[in-house]
């Protein structure tokens, strides 16, 4: 006789969040929007850390207790300014904001844009806000890390050929490596705070359409409709990682179809994403870059 199936975690399993404050980046669309909608419906106070302040205010008006924090993660000056405005205690910080450019772009600080938005900005923001985080940091990664390598000698594609998969994948592998190292450092210094990582599978978000071609993007839309899942389902892994009792540095992804879709469960990551020596080197690289970046007046 076979063993009974393990119950699959769903929105009905979300705990009551009354009294908690969640700071969620990139929360005006896609996974971030679904995350704040659910957290707010369970009683959490929400701080929406967003680039588009007007859209953020519109989302905030649809939630319960919510405020908007303007931040452009491609700008170190904006990150610094936004972090300075976080003065209240935060139970959960969710690093969800992300970018996937169709050509090589460079931020105002001289960073390759995918790396600037997906890693360098969140790294600095988290470090600055961390003293006010009471319980958990969640880093939203990606399956793209499994096909990526991180080039410590040329992270900004100044000498090697830039391609969208290579640049985006490197930035998300960077998130995985950073999350693991952040977890190790927090565990040593702040026993009451932990770090969890998650990925949404193949979710229908603004990052789903990976080319400038509308025709090709329509094919991707068909693919995600058949094999992937909507943001409402993709956000489950983030919500699980934010609320469940988990070992430090867990990695949560969907449980079906090679992690493309399904309900949350602990999943595996690549050897490179778990390499402690690489993590130490990457931390030093990003810390040096974000500490010495030219901090200019934030643009209006």
């Amino acid at each position: 006789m076979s063993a009974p199936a393990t119950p699959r975690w769903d929105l009905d399993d979300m705990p009551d969040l009354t009294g908690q404050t969640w700071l969620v980046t990139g929360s005006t669309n896609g996974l971030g929007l679904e995350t704040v909608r659910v957290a707010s419906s369970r009683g959490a106070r929400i701080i929406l850390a967003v680039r588009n302040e007007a859209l953020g205010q519109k989302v905030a008006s649809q939630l319960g207790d919510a405020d908007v924090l303007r931040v452009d993660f491609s700008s170190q000056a904006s990150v610094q300014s936004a972090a300075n405005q976080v003065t209240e205690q935060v139970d959960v910080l969710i690093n969800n904001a992300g970018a996937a450019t169709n050509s090589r772009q460079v931020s105002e600080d001289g960073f390759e844009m995918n790396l600037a938005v997906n890693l360098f900005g969140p790294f600095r923001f988290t470090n600055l806000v961390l003293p006010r985080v009471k319980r958990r940091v969640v880093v939203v990664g990606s399956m793209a890390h499994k096909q990526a390598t991180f080039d410590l000698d040329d992270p900004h594609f100044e000498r090697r050929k830039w391609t969208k998969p290579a640049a985006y994948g490197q930035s998300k592998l960077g998130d995985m490596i950073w999350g693991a190292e952040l977890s190790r450092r927090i565990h040593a210094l702040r026993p009451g705070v932990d770090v969890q990582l998650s990925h949404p599978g193949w979710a229908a978000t603004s990052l789903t359409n990976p080319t400038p071609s509308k025709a090709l993007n329509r094919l991707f839309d068909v693919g995600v409709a058949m094999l992937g899942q909507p943001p409402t389902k993709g956000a489950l892994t983030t919500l699980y990682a934010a609320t469940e009792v988990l070992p430090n540095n867990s990695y949560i992804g969907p449980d079906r179809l090679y992690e493309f879709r399904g309900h949350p469960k602990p999943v595996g990551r690549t050897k490179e994403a778990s390499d402690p020596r690489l993590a130490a080197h990457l931390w030093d690289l990003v810390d040096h870059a974000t500490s010495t970046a030219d901090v200019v007046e934030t643009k209006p």
Side-chain angles (χ1 to χ4, degrees):
M1 184 175 180
S2 61
T6 303
R8 303 171 77 192
W9 195 94
D10 212 331
L11 289 181
D12 291 341
D13 299 299
M14 275 285 294
D16 178 58
L17 303 176
T18 301
Q20 292 192 29
T21 297
W22 284 28
L23 172 52
V24 184
T25 72
S27 43
T28 55
N29 57 67
L31 301 173
L33 178 58
E34 296 303 326
T35 297
V36 297
R37 281 175 172 167
V38 173
S40 178
S41 73
R42 297 301 194 275
R45 165 170 162 69
I46 305 295
I47 302 175
L48 301 105
V50 300
R51 185 164 58 97
N52 187 327
E53 188 172 7
L55 186 54
Q57 294 291 353
K58 182 178 179 180
V59 172
S61 70
Q62 300 167 358
L63 303 176
D65 184 1
D67 283 326
V68 176
L69 176 69
R70 185 189 180 279
V71 56
D72 179 352
F73 282 102
S74 73
S75 164
Q76 289 286 302
S78 179
V79 168
Q80 179 76 55
S81 175
N84 289 344
Q85 296 174 58
V86 181
T87 58
E88 64 183 284
Q89 294 294 296
V90 173
D91 294 272
V92 178
L93 165 61
I94 297 178
N95 286 291
N96 168 81
T101 64
N102 287 314
S103 61
R104 185 180 183 273
Q105 301 174 29
V106 179
S107 74
E108 65 182 41
D109 302 295
F111 306 146
E112 190 277 326
M113 191 62 76
N114 290 275
L115 211 55
V117 175
N118 297 344
L119 177 59
F120 283 36
F123 177 96
R124 184 172 188 173
F125 184 76
T126 299
N127 283 352
L128 292 170
V129 172
L130 194 56
R132 288 172 285 285
V133 176
K134 296 166 58 178
R135 185 173 65 82
R136 181 163 292 177
V137 176
V138 177
V139 178
V140 178
S142 169
M143 289 190 296
H145 92 271
K146 293 185 176 181
Q147 285 74 48
T149 59
F150 202 101
D151 190 332
L152 293 169
D153 295 321
D154 186 23
H156 304 292
F157 293 85
E158 294 171 312
R159 297 182 298 276
R160 57 194 171 119
K161 181 180 179 181
W162 186 98
T163 66
K164 182 169 185 173
Y168 179 73
Q170 176 185 252
S171 71
K172 298 312 289 185
L173 173 59
D175 280 340
M176 300 292 297
I177 299 168
W178 161 54
E181 181 65 7
L182 179 65
S183 171
R184 185 187 69 80
R185 293 179 182 234
I186 285 181
H187 184 69
L189 298 173
R190 300 274 305 278
V193 179
D194 63 17
V195 179
Q196 307 297 344
L197 295 90
S198 68
H199 81 81
W202 192 8
T205 71
S206 59
L207 299 183
T208 300
N209 291 337
T211 79
S213 167
K214 291 183 179 179
L216 285 175
N217 287 338
R218 280 196 289 271
L219 291 177
F220 278 100
D221 289 340
V222 171
V224 74
M226 295 175 59
L227 302 175
Q229 56 191 359
T232 50
K233 289 291 186 182
L236 285 178
T237 54
T238 303
L239 294 164
Y240 183 98
T243 58
E244 287 297 296
V245 176
L246 297 167
N248 199 24
N249 190 31
S250 293
Y251 182 40
I252 307 301
D255 64 353
R256 295 176 56 202
L257 201 63
Y258 304 101
E259 300 175 28
F260 275 23
R261 62 189 300 164
H263 292 256
K265 74 167 188 177
V267 295
R269 65 196 97 182
T270 64
K271 183 178 180 180
E272 192 170 1
S274 307
D275 184 341
R277 292 173 58 187
L278 176 59
H281 288 307
L282 180 136
W283 184 283
D284 288 344
L285 181 149
V286 182
D287 185 48
H288 176 76
T290 57
S291 297
T292 60
D294 292 331
V295 179
V296 298
E297 193 69 27
T298 303
K299 298 177 182 179

